[in-house]
Amino acid sequence: MKKQYDIIVIGAGNGGLAAAAYAAKAGKKTLLVERHNIPGGCATSFRRGRFEFEPSLHELAGFGTKEQPQEVERIFQNVEANVTMLQVPDAFRVIIDGADYRLPTGRVDFCNAMEEYVPGCKKSVEDFFGLADECAQAIQYLGGSAIDLDEMKEKFPHFMYIANAPLKDVLDALNMPATAQTIMSTYWSYMAMPPSFFDFTMYAYMLERYVDFGATVPKNRSHELSCALADSVRRNGGEIWFGTEVSKILVENGQAKGVVINGEEIYSEHIICNVHPHIVFGRMMDAPEIPAGELKRANARQLGVSGFTVYLGLNKTAEELGITDYSTFINGTGDIEQGFLNMNTIDQNDYQITNCLNISNPGCSPEGTCIVWLTQLCRGSAWAGITPRQYKKKKNKTAARLIRQYEESTGVKISDAIEEISISTPVTFARYLGTPDGSIYGYQGLPWDTMLARTMTFEKERYIKGLRFCGGFTTRMDGYSSAYATGNNAAKMTLADIEEGR
């Protein structure tokens, strides 16, 4: 008797977990398959000595509050996945070529702080958020069943012109001073896209959520999020097979038919894939069954960035060390466009994001200690020329440089308080995630490949019936919030396919 499921989800990363949880909650016979022995992908934790580290989550936008739940919180509420989220106290601190700026959450306070730092910029900052509100409403309208372009022009007159415009162009049109533009563009690194081609709609949507509702972190690392979704899958009758790898996706005449696991065929005409398309089309499908359009799209896109992270367990408290901020962005050159180009290098890369988890989660480490991690986004290709013999030396030298940059920029000495240190490079991410070049951000957003462009062509470019993707390489690009949203949406659309016999 053959094994048959309504929906098979491949990969228990953030997107796959959200998709499986939604499908199981909807009463569908759901199978989630994961090659690792735990859920979450990068959304997990690991221990070194007496410290438990967070591998990848800096902070999570989109949760909001219990009183005003935002997109991610609603996704978790819908599948009854309960987690304890802690509020990040401020928006961010950014050090730009020695100049130091601290920005609070709350739109009014944020705008006032910007005016203090850059006199005369307040109106342009307020106008930015006004456009952000309009874009958010327009995106919600586009998600409706019927779209009337004349009505859109009347309701959202600015959106029709700026929807796909680069962030830099809009900031210039708002007559925002150069220093204010650099501060306002701080979160460019969360998507690894500079203002010259980061589409305004996507950036405004992200910054608005951070400023209006603040960011949050899970009390028990991102593994708490993953376990809550996995529990939801099982509680609602879904199955999860850990330590299990899908070797092949079965496709027949353009229709998904199932998967092969350990030589056994398991059937479903509806598959949601939380695996990088390069891996799917390169290893998991028979060449004759791969549509030319899928190959053209995958090959046209550029791999997103990877990461270099230094995890530090310090034997002093944040207060003893003088650390007061949760997130500190350090931009050595003060030039974001150059900072983006420097991601192609190792030694010239001088942009880093530093976090101290104890500022938001005081009990996250043993008494008298704190956890700090330094992250630098980089191209996996930058490490391609490093030989195995050179690898350890280069890794340690780069980590020492990031620590030194942090100390020189902030005036906080941490090097003499290091009890535990662990370092992840693109090689680490490639080995653990199985992604090309250790990519953690899916496909790079480009001027022709923006969030809006991907969203508008998403269904038209679907060539294999019954096969959908979710995760950072789909419409919303990188980030935890985006991954949860794409998984949730993939499950919704798959359920519609089932109901309508598609």
Side-chain angles (χ1 to χ4, degrees), residues 120-132 158 162 166-178 180-181 184 200 204:
C121 77
K122 186 174 181 179
K123 183 179 186 307
S124 62
V125 175
E126 291 175 336
D127 288 345
F128 172 96
F129 286 113
L131 291 176
H158 300 99
I162 66 173
L167 171 64
K168 172 65 175 170
D169 289 0
V170 178
L171 297 183
D172 284 343
L174 292 173
N175 295 315
M176 187 177 290
Q181 288 195 27
M184 290 287 287
F200 175 81

Side-chain angles (χ1 to χ4, degrees), residues 12-266:
N14 290 333
L17 285 165
Y22 189 96
K25 184 69 165 56
K28 299 303 177 185
K29 186 178 181 182
T30 304
L31 172 64
L32 174 59
V33 186
E34 169 55 47
R35 69 188 183 101
H36 285 300
N37 61 350
I38 55 175
C42 278
T44 180
S45 66
F46 67 93
R47 295 192 67 88
R48 293 291 183 271
R50 54 184 181 147
F51 296 93
E52 182 180 1
F53 292 107
E54 166 60 57
S56 65
L57 179 63
H58 294 98
E59 55 191 9
L60 188 59
F63 243 90
T65 63
K66 292 293 182 183
E67 297 74 26
Q68 290 182 292
Q70 299 303 296
E71 181 181 36
V72 180
E73 169 73 344
R74 291 194 293 268
I75 289 172
F76 274 68
Q77 286 181 353
N78 180 60
V79 299
E80 299 174 349
N82 299 314
V83 293
T84 301
M85 302 299 291
L86 305 173
Q87 200 74 26
V88 173
D90 293 302
F92 58 83
R93 176 188 184 187
V94 58
I95 300 172
I96 306 169
D97 198 19
D100 200 339
Y101 309 96
R102 285 183 168 91
L103 279 301
T105 54
R107 188 178 298 193
V108 173
D109 290 342
F110 185 95
C111 292
N112 288 338
M114 285 294 298
E115 177 66 17
E116 288 184 25
Y117 287 127
V118 188
C121 77
K122 186 174 181 179
K123 183 179 186 307
S124 62
V125 175
E126 291 175 336
D127 288 345
F128 172 96
F129 286 113
L131 291 176
D133 290 338
E134 183 177 322
C135 286
Q137 293 164 11
I139 292 295
Q140 185 175 4
Y141 177 86
L142 287 171
S145 56
I147 298 173
D148 185 320
L149 290 180
D150 290 331
E151 184 180 19
M152 279 202 72
K153 290 176 183 178
E154 181 179 344
K155 286 186 173 181
F156 317 112
H158 300 99
F159 177 77
M160 302 298 285
Y161 293 98
I162 66 173
N164 218 34
L167 171 64
K168 172 65 175 170
D169 289 0
V170 178
L171 297 183
D172 284 343
L174 292 173
N175 295 315
M176 187 177 290
T179 300
Q181 288 195 27
T182 304
I183 298 171
M184 290 287 287
S185 301
T186 291
Y187 285 131
W188 76 272
S189 57
Y190 275 174
M191 294 289 191
M193 290 186 287
S196 61
F197 63 79
F198 201 144
D199 59 299
F200 175 81
T201 298
M202 187 175 189
Y203 189 84
Y205 177 68
M206 177 174 64
L207 182 60
E208 183 182 49
R209 287 187 298 170
Y210 276 117
V211 171
D212 285 353
F213 299 100
T216 57
V217 293
K219 183 177 181 180
N220 296 305
R221 316 304 184 275
S222 56
H223 196 54
E224 178 180 2
L225 303 170
S226 304
C227 288
L229 290 172
D231 287 346
S232 173
V233 174
R234 286 174 163 155
R235 190 170 59 248
N236 288 294
E239 297 178 37
I240 306 178
W241 295 0
F242 289 118
T244 304
E245 188 165 5
V246 172
S247 59
K248 186 175 182 180
I249 296 175
L250 300 172
V251 177
E252 186 178 308
N253 298 323
Q255 167 69 58
K257 290 295 183 182
V259 299
V260 176
I261 298 174
N262 296 326
E264 180 183 4
E265 294 185 353
I266 303 186

Side-chain angles (χ1 to χ4, degrees), residues 308-334:
F308 182 95
T309 303
V310 183
Y311 308 95
L312 300 172
L314 305 179
N315 60 19
K316 294 181 181 179
T317 66
E319 184 178 10
E320 289 173 323
L321 292 166
I323 300 173
T324 57
D325 303 280
Y326 175 77
S327 291
T328 302
F329 297 78
I330 301 173
N331 185 349
T333 64

